[in-house]
Amino acid sequence: MNKTIRFFAVISLTCCLALGLTTQVYAKNVLLKVPCSVPFSVPILGHDIVGTIADTINKSSNGTLKVKLYAPGKLVPSLEVLDAVSSGKTNAGYTAAFYYAGKNPASVLFSSFPFGPDPEEYIAWYYYGNGLKLYQEMYDHYGYNVKVIPAGIISAETSGWFTKPIEKVEDLKGIKMRISGLGGKVLTKLGVSVTMLPVGEIFQALEKGLIDATEFSMPVCDAPLGFYKVAKYNYYPGWHQPSTVQELLINKETWNALDESQQTLIETACMAATLKSLALSNGMQGKIIKENTEKHGVKNLYWSDEMLAAFEAAWKEVVQEEIAKDPMFKKTWEDLEQFRAEYKKWADVGFLPR
């Protein structure tokens, strides 16, 4: 390069720097290894959500960001995703906050809890209220080294599958039931013996009589797990989980090393998966309920007002106990209650009755 060309090259670069017109700085290529808590075979909660996230990122990042998914147990056990991401054993994971309620009491308020928000209300709290801010604060409070992003939401679950009918509160006493989150604490107050099992172990426990009842999710998610083969009484509504939020966790060092475009792409992919999961979770249920009745002899039953009142009364006791024990639970609950009181003014007048 002669002196004249070199001179003009230096002048041009200097001008670009002064004007902020620097040459593009390409993002460092990153592979996100994502172990999952839910089997891919489970509709919506499985591959439908996390597969959407992976496809969106892999097709849109120009190779600078890739996602590789791992079925439960392939990289880490299904209920250890949070710890694995926080410790750096893996740099990302797909799970749900309430799985870790035993160590993080407030986590249930960010995923699903009894008599909680419906999906639209939950989304409103996250993206208009203080939900996103408190979600991250919750994991920081409990000492986890993760960035959390809502990554999917589904509508109400069924209340559970029972091997015998439940007609009054007394019928619950002595029943052994698999149930997650604070719904389990509610049922414990009503005499149920509660256990938490990974998804892949539920049917076997039900079939062998180790449990008498189980909840997992909504009809289309429950169908491939075959509960109808053993438990013929499927109760509604899902008072314990009116909606459920899934999450994508990313190790904080990994997250902070990403550039803004990569972070934005991940957040956008998660929002796309949330929209898709909401559509699927409302659109796919009627057909399955019909098949359960006509093909499998399932009795679809709706809890009486008496039973719902008993569940809610026990839930109010649980809330007060959790508030007294955990400051993060208290802070989140109070924020949610304030938001829901304002939202109710709209919900009470804005919609036709169902």
Side-chain angles (χ1 to χ4, degrees):
M1 181 184 293
N2 63 40
K3 291 181 179 180
T4 302
I5 295 175
R6 186 181 296 118
F7 171 78
F8 281 110
V10 171
I11 293 297
S12 297
L13 179 58
T14 302
C15 291
C16 286
L17 289 169
L19 294 171
L21 302 175
T22 57
T23 54
Q24 182 176 358
V25 178
Y26 289 95
K28 179 181 178 181
N29 292 353
V30 176
L31 172 65
L32 296 178
K33 296 182 177 181
V34 182
C36 303
S37 290
V38 180
F40 294 154
S41 60
V42 177
I44 309 176
L45 286 173
H47 197 270
D48 284 326
I49 296 179
V50 74
T52 296
I53 294 169
D55 289 345
T56 301
I57 291 172
N58 291 340
K59 292 176 181 177
S60 305
S61 69
N62 292 321
T64 66
L65 192 59
K66 293 184 179 180
V67 175
K68 184 175 181 180
L69 304 178
Y70 294 85
K74 293 296 184 182
L75 194 59
V76 298
S78 63
L79 298 182
E80 296 180 18
V81 171
L82 172 59
D83 287 332
V85 178
S86 181
S87 68
K89 183 176 181 179
T90 183
N91 61 4
Y94 167 73
T95 186
F98 63 68
Y99 289 141
Y100 313 102
K103 294 186 289 186
N104 316 317
S107 64
V108 294
L109 299 179
F110 297 91
S111 187
S112 186
F113 59 93
F115 299 94
D118 62 23
E120 293 85 354
E121 186 177 7
Y122 234 153
I123 290 171
W125 179 63
Y126 270 117
Y127 291 100
Y128 177 74
N130 293 320
L132 289 180
K133 174 178 173 288
L134 288 168
Y135 204 176
Q136 185 61 54
E137 183 180 335
M138 180 270 294
Y139 276 129
D140 294 343
H141 172 81
Y142 292 125
Y144 291 96
N145 187 40
V146 299
K147 164 70 176 179
V148 62
I149 306 169
I153 189 168
I154 62 169
S155 286
E157 299 190 350
T158 79
S159 186
W161 297 79
F162 293 78
T163 55
K164 64 179 183 180
I166 306 296
E167 297 177 351
K168 55 188 181 300
V169 175
E170 289 71 24
D171 294 339
L172 291 170
K173 296 186 186 303
I175 282 182
K176 300 183 295 292
M177 183 173 183
R178 183 272 185 195
I179 182 170
S180 62
L182 291 181
K185 291 190 176 184
V186 170
L187 290 181
T188 297
K189 287 184 173 293
L190 298 176
V192 176
S193 176
V194 168
T195 187
M196 177 59 190
L197 297 171
V199 179
E201 298 177 16
I202 300 174
F203 179 80
Q204 188 177 29
L206 197 61
E207 187 178 39
K208 291 183 175 181
L210 300 177
I211 56 175
D212 307 302
T214 186
E215 61 80 42
F216 173 60
S217 188
M218 48 181 44
V220 73
C221 299
D222 291 347
L225 299 176
F227 301 148
Y228 60 81
K229 297 176 183 177
V230 183
K232 295 295 185 181
Y233 300 91
N234 193 195
Y235 277 88
Y236 299 80
W239 57 269
H240 67 299
Q241 287 187 229
S243 57
T244 307
V245 177
Q246 303 295 115
E247 64 187 16
L248 183 70
L249 300 173
I250 301 176
N251 179 271
K252 270 194 181 177
E253 278 73 33
T254 299
W255 178 259
N256 292 335
L258 300 174
D259 73 9
E260 186 177 6
S261 66
Q262 291 172 317
Q263 292 177 348
T264 301
L265 176 55
I266 293 171
E267 291 170 336
T268 302
C270 288
M271 290 187 75
T274 297
L275 175 61
K276 181 177 180 179
S277 61
L278 182 58
L280 294 178
S281 70
N282 281 304
M284 298 175 70
Q285 307 311 322
K287 178 181 178 181
I288 302 301
I289 292 173
K290 182 179 179 182
E291 288 180 356
N292 283 341
T293 302
E294 297 179 355
K295 293 184 179 181
H296 306 309
V298 171
K299 292 180 171 58
N300 297 296
L301 303 168
Y302 200 91
W303 291 118
S304 67
D305 291 344
E306 176 192 359
M307 292 297 297
L308 287 174
F311 295 141
E312 188 168 14
W315 163 238
K316 290 178 179 178
E317 292 180 16
V318 170
V319 169
Q320 294 308 311
E321 292 168 359
E322 296 299 313
I323 286 173
K325 289 189 301 185
D326 187 83
M328 191 67 218
F329 188 101
K330 181 176 186 293
K331 180 177 182 178
T332 304
W333 178 259
E334 289 174 351
D335 186 87
L336 257 169
E337 284 291 275
Q338 181 179 351
F339 182 86
R340 296 189 73 189
E342 294 176 356
Y343 184 90
K344 190 174 187 300
K345 297 180 185 303
W346 161 244
D348 285 348
V349 299
F351 305 95
L352 291 168
R354 289 183 181 272

